[in-house]
Amino acid sequence: MLQRKKNAVLVDGVFLNGPIADARAGEKFVEDACKIIMEEVIQKAADVTEKVCEWQPPEKLKKLLDLEMRDTGEPHQQLLQLCQDVIRYSVKTNHPRFFNQLYAGIDYYSLVARFITEALNPSVYTYEVSPVFLLVEEAVLKKMIEFIGWNEGDGIFNPGGSVSNMYAMNLARYKYCPEIKEKGLSGLPRLVLFTSEECHYSMKKAASFLGIGTQNVYFIKTDERGKMIPEELEKQVQRARKEGAAPFLVSATAGTTVLGAFDPLDKIADICEKYGLWLHVDASWGGSALMSRKHRKLLHGIHRADSVAWNPHKMLMAGIQCCALLVKNNSDLLKKCYSANASYLFQQDKFYDVSYDTGDKSIQCSRRPDAFKFWMTWKALGTTGLEERENRALALARLHL
């Protein structure tokens, strides 16, 4: 596996120009492993006679898999066998009979996009490091903003809808009291947010993580279909104000996790405007209905939201993970809220337009080019193809009701 170069330079007992990894052996491993992926994953993706999963209990699976990491590396064939074992005992999420809560299936174009990004291993924070993927993200966000119905906006791709919801909660709090970024929580009033009883559990986690506290998440009653009742929302807003608390955010849901309910966004937006509250819409699941002329009415009023979470990796099959937070405010609110102005990374005297260095809008430093897989699928299918995919998903759901 290793070879030593002639005239090697030795420093602190280490050969700086040798030993080196055997590139030919590495390339051969990639080639052979790709054949296994093609044969065992991709070509079997639509074969209904194959198992969704060769299920084994945890203790037995530990024995079947060679999980131990050793002092010395293992040979080529043994590594390939490990690849086959991993595939054999994993859940085939692309199988026609894999019925997960919110995602399934295979999109070949998104898959190739993931192969490309894994091979290139980029990090999306500055244009000089990731020029193509930053431009792709900008183009995808712009198009998603158009489908929401905003004339302009901002956004960023995040590692999951839960993170997008947390971003939105923190952004709403920053908008309410910008001094929190430097002064912290001390001296602030008791902040209260409102969301549906059927909301995603990430809202409680975000409130806990951000120091707002889960007791300050007021859960609003829903009707028999799981939709937030606007009248109950207004009652709870008034209650919080009487208690001396400071309401700052309403998080509506477009496509609840269990019932698939769409909150009445227009009526909720009326209440938010009346009381000066930030309106966030968690459309992680249901946002893709915006692509359908037939079903976008489910999200009527979403254009009035201040922020939207939307996960193309769900109904649009862009591949996990592919999650965007879209923000109506186009005055660099994201950057103002999250920037740390790291001078070693975000220099202002570069040889190109530094507005393309978007990494300071994120709480992350290293960030994956998740927009690229959605872009590749969109390029392959077009808006019409994505609309057909959405319509088919909802037609299948209606068939099985």
Side-chain angles (χ1 to χ4, degrees):
M1 293 292 292
L2 300 174
Q3 64 181 17
R4 222 174 251 184
K5 286 185 176 180
K6 294 180 180 179
N7 303 318
V9 178
L10 183 66
V11 176
D12 292 337
V14 178
F15 289 99
L16 298 188
N17 58 341
I20 59 172
D22 186 340
R24 282 180 295 180
E27 290 169 5
K28 177 62 175 170
F29 177 72
V30 171
E31 182 180 348
D32 291 346
C34 284
K35 288 179 182 176
I36 292 172
I37 294 169
M38 190 68 192
E39 293 169 3
E40 298 299 322
V41 180
I42 299 172
Q43 291 178 349
K44 292 182 179 179
D47 189 349
V48 76
T49 65
E50 293 288 331
K51 290 182 178 180
V52 177
C53 176
E54 190 167 319
W55 177 260
Q56 301 291 345
E59 293 306 317
K60 185 176 180 181
L61 188 55
K62 287 179 185 179
K63 295 177 182 177
L64 290 169
L65 296 173
D66 181 10
L67 299 173
E68 183 67 27
M69 282 78 72
R70 300 176 178 84
D71 291 339
T72 57
E74 300 180 21
H76 183 91
Q77 288 303 321
Q78 199 163 331
L79 293 173
L80 292 176
Q81 184 58 52
L82 286 173
C83 293
Q84 289 182 314
D85 290 343
V86 167
I87 293 169
R88 178 181 178 183
Y89 295 114
S90 291
V91 177
K92 313 305 186 294
T93 64
N94 47 23
H95 194 283
R97 289 181 179 165
F98 171 73
F99 301 112
N100 185 260
Q101 290 92 336
L102 299 175
Y103 80 99
I106 184 171
D107 179 87
Y108 300 101
Y109 308 103
S110 168
L111 183 61
V112 169
R114 281 180 279 172
F115 288 162
I116 292 171
T117 55
E118 289 299 323
L120 290 172
N121 198 31
S123 184
V124 186
Y125 40 63
T126 62
Y127 182 82
E128 65 201 278
V129 172
S130 193
V132 173
F133 298 118
L134 273 168
L135 294 180
V136 164
E137 182 175 70
E138 179 187 58
V140 172
L141 288 169
K142 182 180 178 182
K143 204 69 175 172
M144 294 175 80
I145 284 167
E146 288 177 11
F147 273 91
I148 290 172
W150 298 335
N151 293 325
E152 59 181 8
D154 197 1
I156 195 166
F157 274 77
N158 297 310
S162 295
V163 175
S164 292
N165 288 337
M166 185 180 71
Y167 264 71
M169 190 180 295
N170 193 46
L171 198 62
R173 184 174 64 175
Y174 174 78
K175 183 72 163 57
Y176 182 82
C177 43
E179 65 273 12
I180 192 174
K181 181 176 178 179
E182 294 182 355
K183 296 181 179 179
L185 296 171
S186 59
L188 285 180
R190 181 168 70 92
L191 297 175
V192 171
L193 64 103
F194 310 87
T195 190
S196 152
E197 290 177 333
E198 296 290 332
C199 76
H200 191 260
Y201 65 83
S202 61
M203 299 308 298
K204 286 182 70 174
K205 286 196 171 189
S208 172
F209 186 85
L210 294 172
I212 293 168
T214 57
Q215 290 185 351
N216 294 315
V217 181
Y218 285 20
F219 294 100
I220 311 303
K221 292 179 181 177
T222 58
D223 62 20
E224 68 282 356
R225 296 292 297 275
K227 301 178 182 181
M228 185 192 293
I229 301 172
E231 294 77 14
E232 293 295 328
L233 169 62
E234 186 161 23
K235 286 180 185 177
Q236 292 301 313
V237 172
Q238 292 171 347
R239 169 197 157 195
R241 296 177 76 179
K242 287 178 182 177
E243 293 171 347
F248 76 104
L249 166 68
V250 174
S251 179
T253 311
T256 60
T257 305
V258 178
L259 296 175
F262 287 76
D263 288 341
L265 301 180
D266 236 358
K267 292 181 179 179
I268 292 171
D270 288 339
I271 295 168
C272 289
E273 286 184 6
K274 181 177 179 180
Y275 294 98
L277 305 175
W278 181 285
L279 174 57
H280 172 64
V281 178
D282 178 7
S284 296
W285 185 12
S288 297
L290 290 168
M291 306 292 293
S292 167
R293 286 166 289 185
K294 182 177 181 180
H295 297 294
R296 66 175 55 151
K297 60 187 177 185
L298 291 168
L299 296 105
H300 179 70
I302 195 170
H303 65 285
R304 300 175 66 187
D306 296 290
S307 57
V308 175
W310 178 359
N311 294 1
H313 76 227
K314 291 191 167 76
M315 274 194 278
L316 295 177
M317 300 167 62
I320 291 177
Q321 56 204 9
C322 188
C323 315
L325 173 70
L326 297 315
V327 181
K328 181 186 286 187
N329 188 301
N330 198 31
S331 63
D332 272 345
L333 189 66
L334 266 173
K335 187 173 182 180
K336 291 173 184 175
C337 180
Y338 291 109
S339 65
N341 300 313
S343 59
Y344 77 93
L345 190 59
F346 301 111
Q347 304 97 331
Q348 298 303 298
D349 58 350
K350 294 181 181 179
F351 56 91
Y352 59 86
D353 182 355
V354 295
S355 68
Y356 287 99
D357 289 354
T358 59
D360 224 9
K361 295 193 295 186
S362 170
I363 58 172
Q364 300 168 252
C365 182
S366 299
R367 194 164 61 89
R368 297 174 63 86
D370 290 326
F372 181 60
K373 48 197 162 190
F374 186 33
W375 177 83
M376 185 67 81
T377 297
W378 204 330
K379 293 287 282 185
L381 301 181
T383 303
T384 302
L386 293 176
E387 180 180 24
E388 290 172 356
R389 182 170 285 183
E390 178 70 21
N391 289 342
R392 183 175 184 273
L394 289 169
L396 283 169
R398 189 168 296 280
L399 173 67
H400 292 288
L401 284 176

